[in-house]
Amino acid sequence: MKMHIKAKTLPVLLLGTSLVLTSGCFHDEDDDPIVMAPVAMVTYSVTVTNITNGQPLTPLAVIAHHSNYQAWQAGSAASTGLEMLAESGDPSVFLSEAAASSDVLGSVASSNGPFGPGASETVMLTTIEVSDLEITVAAMLANTNDAFAGIENVLVGDLAAGDSITLLAHVYDAGTELNTETTGTMPGPAAGGEGFNVARDDIGNFIAVHAGVVTNDDGLAGSALDESHRWQGPAAKVVITRMQ
């Protein structure tokens, strides 16, 4: 499991929750050092279940952040990291972009590879406790050109220990590649083609709700997909649980 934590948060995380912070530069009138409260930490479990019929989901990208952060917005262009995630399933640049934001508190990628229909993947994420803590999750549908399933800006800061929230992740079209469905342009097992290509078909240039795949069965000549690769509605179930 790969963790991405902003460098400026490391001093806090290294001190942990059991140490009391003091400073010799600040004293009250009795010359006693001022004692600061320990930093509270919180851990969340994020479980994603693939509810499609024939679309593998690629490794998860999970981000914990303040409410000001937004990983994507429908109607706006995808970032380079989101483009790479949506076309190749690689979340590393997407998470690096997140780590560069002062509003991001931590992130993690799952490490077990793609997972198919009916299967689940779980990651654990520990961060500081803040009231506006939100979680964003994204993964590519591998038998597509640039589709990704995701939930964004889900408030979890008000969950008590042991509480869970369950959501359905809808499918977005990253708008970074034509949905040709051809063998050479999709990385999933139905095609085995190339994933991300910076020079290929970047003409849509905005994120939208995905219209779904057409497939060869429905008359799209050259499509490597058949009706088993279609989906209707959400592609994943996401359960977020506060562990402590």
Side-chain angles (χ1 to χ4, degrees):
M1 186 169 68
K2 180 170 19 173
M3 297 294 298
H4 296 259
I5 300 177
K6 288 184 66 62
K8 73 175 190 177
T9 65
L10 284 175
V12 174
L13 298 178
L14 291 174
L15 286 170
T17 61
S18 62
L19 298 181
V20 175
L21 305 180
T22 63
S23 172
C25 297
F26 300 95
H27 297 79
D28 61 19
E29 60 186 9
D30 296 320
D31 204 33
D32 293 327
I34 294 176
V35 177
M36 299 176 64
V39 176
M41 305 298 290
V42 62
T43 299
Y44 292 90
S45 166
V46 180
T47 298
V48 177
T49 302
N50 185 334
I51 60 173
T52 70
N53 180 65
Q55 285 286 344
L57 294 179
T58 61
L60 308 174
V62 181
I63 304 168
H65 52 85
H66 290 292
S67 57
N68 289 334
Y69 176 79
Q70 195 165 18
W72 68 83
Q73 185 174 9
S76 298
S79 68
T80 299
L82 183 58
E83 179 180 5
M84 295 181 72
L85 181 150
E87 292 184 12
S88 71
D90 180 1
S92 58
V93 176
F94 180 65
L95 293 178
S96 294
E97 290 175 346
S101 170
S102 60
D103 286 314
V104 169
L105 301 172
S107 63
V108 60
S110 60
S111 58
N112 293 327
F115 56 106
S120 298
E121 187 72 14
T122 298
V123 298
M124 308 294 288
L125 181 57
T126 299
T127 185
I128 61 173
E129 184 176 19
V130 293
S131 61
D132 70 334
L133 185 67
E134 296 181 346
I135 284 180
T136 291
V137 181
M140 180 193 182
L141 278 66
N143 287 327
T144 68
N145 288 97
D146 61 343
F148 68 98
I151 59 170
E152 57 173 335
N153 296 83
V154 177
L155 179 64
V156 297
D158 57 353
L159 294 179
D163 285 352
S164 296
I165 183 170
T166 300
L167 306 102
L168 295 177
H170 292 277
V171 182
Y172 296 91
D173 188 328
T176 59
E177 182 177 318
L178 289 175
N179 296 326
T180 60
E181 302 177 16
T182 56
T183 299
T185 62
M186 296 183 296
E194 182 183 37
F196 172 72
N197 184 326
V198 69
R200 188 179 60 220
D201 297 337
D202 292 11
I203 62 173
N205 205 35
F206 70 92
I207 299 165
V209 175
H210 206 291
V213 293
V214 179
T215 83
N216 190 273
D217 288 343
D218 206 27
L220 181 59
S223 174
L225 306 180
D226 59 41
E227 62 179 9
S228 70
H229 302 114
R230 295 178 180 142
W231 68 89
Q232 293 183 346
K237 181 178 74 172
V238 183
V239 181
I240 303 172
T241 304
R242 176 170 172 171
M243 306 303 293
Q244 62 181 34

